[in-house]
């Protein structure tokens, strides 16, 4: 990944030798297992610091531009909270209709502009490849917060951090992904990232029209990870350590009738979960629509709300890393 560490606008005093200083975070493909261990260790430190003192000054004087061209609750607010918990400031741009984008400004010009005012740019955009395009033109590090149906690398990092904190391991696990595997960018990133771990088995459960894309399956296969597609949970639930549920992505369907047919294919609830292990977790990147019933929320295996909180620590770690403070 290109480094922007030579940028003359990055202030004196930053640790320019820190390994992630000035780097873009665009895809999970850029992380080795050692990188992941490092990120998780920093995120774990962040967790301890937040639990002990709440807010501290590691990024005092730094500014984040939070540029969201698509709806977001968790990703956008957790990046803002992460920056503020580290003592930094945020320029939030989520109502792009009130920015120069509405006047026809191009993405390269928008990020060139933000690079003059901010030290790091987080971007979510509906087009695949948009974060890479932004990174090419921004003179500050760019973090991909979701590029259409492409990738959502910070979500995959927080997902794997969640598994590690909840189950105490990332090797030797059976991970079952269920729902919209075609349009769900979180599962594309997570499947790729899980190939870094040992003895992982992946199961995919989806309606036929929403199967995991071939390019993702080919990449996973090339790493020697066993994967299998199933129409229902029946055969795999009892062996699953992580059940990763996703919503059907209504906004990506051209034909609403097709969405209507696919939207309620699976519902996870207490009855279904009787067939699962006692020590396992159910995750969801959220928002949930109907695919996990609310009466499962109090089950100790329901990890999806805790997962959101782990996202704060991972995003704190990433901001500190690209700004040369970790
Ligand atoms: N919040 C996640 C994303 O932005 C999942 C979702 O929207 O379903 O991809």
């Amino acid at each position: 990944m290109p480094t922007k560490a030579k940028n003359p606008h990055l202030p004196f005093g930053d640790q320019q030798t820190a390994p992630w200083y000035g780097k873009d975070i665009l895809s999970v493909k850029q992380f080795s297992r050692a990188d992941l261990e490092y990120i998780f260790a920093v995120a774990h430190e962040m967790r301890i610091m937040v639990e002990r003192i709440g807010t501290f000054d590691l990024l005092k004087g730094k500014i984040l531009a939070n540029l969201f061209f698509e709806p977001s609750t968790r990703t956008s607010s957790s990046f803002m909270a992460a920056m503020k918990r580290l003592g930094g400031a945020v320029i939030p741009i989520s109502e792009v209709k009130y920015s120069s984008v509405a006047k026809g400004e191009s993405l390269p010009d928008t990020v060139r502009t933000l690079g003059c005012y901010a030290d790091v740019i987080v971007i979510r955009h509906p087009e695949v490849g948009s974060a890479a395009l932004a990174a090419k033109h921004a003179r500050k590090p760019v973090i991909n917060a979701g590029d259409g149906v492409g990738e959502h690398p910070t979500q995959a990092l927080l997902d794997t951090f969640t598994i590690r904190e909840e189950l105490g391991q990332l090797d030797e696990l059976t991970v079952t992904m269920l729902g919209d595997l075609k349009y769900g960018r979180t599962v594309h990133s997570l499947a790729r990232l899980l190939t870094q771990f040992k003895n992982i088995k992946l199961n995919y459960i989806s309606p036929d029209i929403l199967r995991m894309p071939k390019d993702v399956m080919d990449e996973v296969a090339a790493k020697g990870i066993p994967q299998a597609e199933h129409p229902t949970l029946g055969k795999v639930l009892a062996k699953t350590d992580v059940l990763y549920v996703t919503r059907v992505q209504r906004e990506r369907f051209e034909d609403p009738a097709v969405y209507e047919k696919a939207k309620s294919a699976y519902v996870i609830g207490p009855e279904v979960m009787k067939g699962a292990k006692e020590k396992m977790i159910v995750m969801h990147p959220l928002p949930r629509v109907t695919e996990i019933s609310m009466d499962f929320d109090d089950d100790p295996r329901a990890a999806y709300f805790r997962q959101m909180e782990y996202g704060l620590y991972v995003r704190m770690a990433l901001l500190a890393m690209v700004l040369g403070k970790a």
Side-chain angles (χ1 to χ4, degrees), residues 70-71 74-75 124 145 152 155 184-186 246-247 249 251-252 284-287:
E70 268 193 347
R74 274 150 293 274
T75 308
R124 168 170 292 183
H152 197 347
Q155 177 76 45
R185 57 192 167 203
T186 64
T246 63
R247 79 183 163 98
Q249 310 263 307
E251 67 277 27
R252 316 268 182 224
H284 192 306
L286 302 176

Side-chain angles (χ1 to χ4, degrees), residues 3 15 27 37 63 89 91-92 104 120 129 142-143 172 197 214 234 239 250 254 274-276 293:
T3 177
Q15 293 169 34
S27 162
E37 299 296 349
I63 298 176
I91 305 171
V120 53
V142 168
I143 301 179
E172 323 271 342
F197 303 100
K214 187 174 175 307
K239 292 187 189 135
R250 186 178 57 196
E254 275 164 26
K274 281 187 185 154
S293 66

